[in-house]
Amino acid sequence: MTPKEQKAYNLIGIAKKAGKVIGGTDMVADRIREKRNAVKAVLISSDASENTLKKIINTATFYKVPAVKTNIDKATLAKITGSMGERSVIGITDEGLAKAIMSYVTDETE
């Protein structure tokens, strides 16, 4: 793991502890639609399904929310956020944390 990846993981963990992370495809998509400006950034796992990727990218693009497919797999994303099972998508609701996390994961995108 590179120092940049570790920093991104740490920031996601901090966001989770601060209650600034929404987990799950449907919850993130609903929050983007229902509460404009509530989700500041969306992170998509590297092994998310094509359907999930399309749904989140389309919703995020329409509502002008930055979304990025990361090199983080579902299991690691769940572990970082303390979730049971797997997480394909998380939304960050704090603007400062979202910008910081995006600065570390955007260079990791495919």
Side-chain angles (χ1 to χ4, degrees):
M1 179 182 316
T2 68
K4 195 169 189 176
E5 289 172 331
Q6 185 61 49
K7 185 70 172 172
Y9 292 3
N10 291 342
L11 286 170
I12 294 167
I14 290 168
K16 176 63 179 174
K17 287 178 184 172
K20 302 297 182 181
V21 173
I22 303 166
T25 305
D26 293 331
M27 287 183 67
V28 171
D30 289 346
R31 189 54 109 34
I32 290 171
R33 277 191 234 96
E34 292 172 3
K35 297 185 178 185
R36 294 197 171 81
N37 297 323
V39 178
K40 304 301 181 187
V42 178
L43 304 177
I44 306 166
S45 69
S46 60
D47 52 351
S49 71
E50 288 299 317
N51 186 42
T52 296
L53 188 62
K54 181 179 177 185
K55 178 179 183 176
I56 292 298
I57 294 293
N58 287 345
T59 303
T61 302
F62 183 80
Y63 290 100
K64 296 177 177 67
V65 175
V68 64
K69 185 174 181 181
T70 67
N71 284 338
I72 306 169
D73 64 27
K74 292 178 189 179
T76 304
L77 200 55
K79 184 178 176 184
I80 295 168
T81 60
S83 303
M84 299 297 288
E86 297 179 335
R87 286 279 183 230
S88 295
V89 177
I90 62 169
I92 309 296
T93 60
D94 180 82
E95 191 166 353
L97 285 168
K99 285 180 182 179
I101 292 167
M102 292 296 276
S103 73
Y104 288 104
V105 298
T106 49
D107 291 341
E108 300 174 18
T109 60
E110 294 176 350

